[in-house]
Amino acid sequence: MKRRCLAIWLLAAILLLSSSGRAAAPSGVYFTAANDHLMDLDAETMPFYSHNVLYVSSRLFEDNELGVSYARSTSLGVAMLYNSTADLRFDLAGQTAYDKQGNIYSGYAIEQGGVVFFPLNLVCRYFGLSWSYNETSAAPLIRVKNDSVILSDASFIDAAASLMQLRYGEYERSLASGASPSAPVLPVEPPPVQAAEGQTVCLLLAPASASDAFAAMDALGGAQATFLLAAEQMEDGNLLRALTAQGHAVALHIRGGSPEEAEEELAAGRERLWRAACLWLELVWYEGGGELDALLDSQGFVRVSAPVGSPAGNQSYTNRTAALLQDIGRYREDIGVLLGDAEACRPMLPGLLAGLEEGLYRVSAWRLTV
């Protein structure tokens, strides 16, 4: 009997020692991933539960990895998630969620340590995303995915195992050193731009195809813009009628050539717009010098201009939108803003329009003449 008790105690001691090789993750510590990208492990990214609702950080949406971008208006107290076709807005003080059509949703965002966190189930349902929960050797993983995801959960966890162990070790050391994970250092936000009294912004888009133009119109919602169309694109009467029926302006995009060729394009564009929509073409977009100015003046055309253009480079849509708003804010008169390729700039439109609305700018098409 004594030998049996001794064996049981020895077995218990062995199990205890073998289980002490890795401490369990502290309660509430989670990794997050957007598709195949593992986020940092800190207070800015850490999901949490509140009233049995799982919340994830706005950091998850800053690089458009999931096809959803993040914007925030500090002065209005509104945080927004959006893509090229829809947006979901969160009133932080009122604890409500709604879209641009005014539909109200059950759920609200929470600001914690200066970072906004969104209810994951609501966001996934609204934007057609999915998410999963998996245990890992370091800490549980919350993974949010769209149709662009490549790896399965098992393959991703296997591929990211070393990185998760490294980041978990760094997180443990930050706790041991007394660093407070609940007080992240956030970048200073630039001040919101503010329009001069009555200032108007005219957005210029150059669609490569009719489908790009229609998609941009949807993303614009009720806002009106100016579409730069080549002469051959103006052969599409349905496109011209759709644009003008929604109050958008059409400008003929002259791509160069001799004055004679330009004159032919001008005559063809005018004839096509009149035939399709009974409107007299008066706007021209031309990026060359002044060699066509005399021709344009003689035929009553107005040359559209844009001192501000969409930032180039590999910045996220959120950062590009913020930079563009700051550029617009440097002007105190009516200006044109060249967004360029309609498909490329489409994901920026909801955030850009929200920023212009906050700054009390008027958004309008260029001059319209019947």
Side-chain angles (χ1 to χ4, degrees), residues 249-264:
V250 173
L252 175 64
H253 188 178
I254 299 178
R255 303 187 185 278
S258 66
E260 292 76 18
E261 291 172 325
E263 189 169 9
E264 290 181 6

Side-chain angles (χ1 to χ4, degrees), residues 44 62 72 74 113-115 184-192 318-319 322-323 326:
E44 292 186 17
E62 287 183 347
R72 179 180 179 184
T74 305
V115 181
V185 178
L186 299 178
V188 177
E189 294 186 10
T318 301
N319 291 339
Q326 293 302 308

Side-chain angles (χ1 to χ4, degrees), residues 190 193 308-312 315-330 348 352:
V193 296
V308 175
S310 179
Q315 302 179 73
S316 68
Y317 290 121
T318 301
N319 291 339
R320 288 170 59 191
T321 301
L324 182 55
L325 286 169
Q326 293 302 308
D327 286 343
I328 293 171
R330 296 188 179 99
M348 293 176 54
L352 176 60

Side-chain angles (χ1 to χ4, degrees), residues 87-315:
D87 65 60
L88 190 57
R89 308 178 186 196
F90 295 84
D91 183 335
L92 298 175
Q95 293 192 328
T96 58
Y98 58 96
D99 61 23
K100 60 184 176 183
Q101 284 79 33
N103 300 310
I104 306 297
Y105 296 87
S106 177
Y108 54 88
I110 296 175
E111 184 176 3
Q112 183 169 282
V115 181
V116 177
F117 290 78
F118 297 105
L120 182 56
N121 277 331
L122 171 59
V123 171
C124 286
R125 287 198 310 271
Y126 188 83
F127 291 104
L129 305 175
S130 63
W131 69 277
S132 59
Y133 172 97
N134 286 280
E135 295 286 348
T136 77
S137 60
L141 168 69
I142 305 293
R143 191 178 182 212
V144 186
K145 297 164 282 190
N146 66 4
D147 293 339
S148 299
V149 67
I150 297 173
L151 298 175
S152 66
D153 284 350
S155 297
F156 176 79
I157 291 170
D158 183 60
S162 298
L163 183 57
M164 284 192 284
Q165 289 287 357
L166 175 64
R167 290 185 177 173
Y168 183 76
E170 292 172 347
Y171 179 78
E172 280 192 317
R173 285 191 292 275
S174 72
L175 294 179
S177 67
S180 173
S182 60
V185 178
L186 299 178
V188 177
E189 294 186 10
V193 296
Q194 192 72 29
E197 185 176 356
Q199 186 178 357
T200 298
V201 171
C202 300
L203 304 178
L204 312 179
L205 298 94
S209 64
S211 61
D212 288 352
F214 281 108
M217 280 190 277
D218 289 340
L220 283 164
Q224 296 172 343
T226 301
F227 285 75
L228 315 178
L229 303 181
E232 59 270 18
Q233 290 178 298
M234 297 183 69
E235 295 177 0
D236 188 340
N238 290 330
L239 174 59
L240 295 178
R241 283 186 287 273
L243 288 169
T244 56
Q246 294 189 28
H248 302 293
V250 173
L252 175 64
H253 188 178
I254 299 178
R255 303 187 185 278
S258 66
E260 292 76 18
E261 291 172 325
E263 189 169 9
E264 290 181 6
E265 288 186 60
L266 293 169
R270 224 164 218 178
E271 190 272 333
R272 289 163 184 166
L273 184 60
W274 182 260
R275 186 176 65 238
C278 294
L279 291 174
W280 189 243
L281 178 67
E282 64 172 3
L283 303 179
V284 169
W285 173 259
Y286 176 59
E287 296 176 274
E291 58 269 20
L292 296 183
D293 285 351
L295 172 63
L296 298 176
D297 289 342
S298 67
Q299 298 196 16
F301 284 95
V302 175
R303 187 167 174 178
V304 175
S305 62
V308 175
S310 179
N314 296 322
Q315 302 179 73

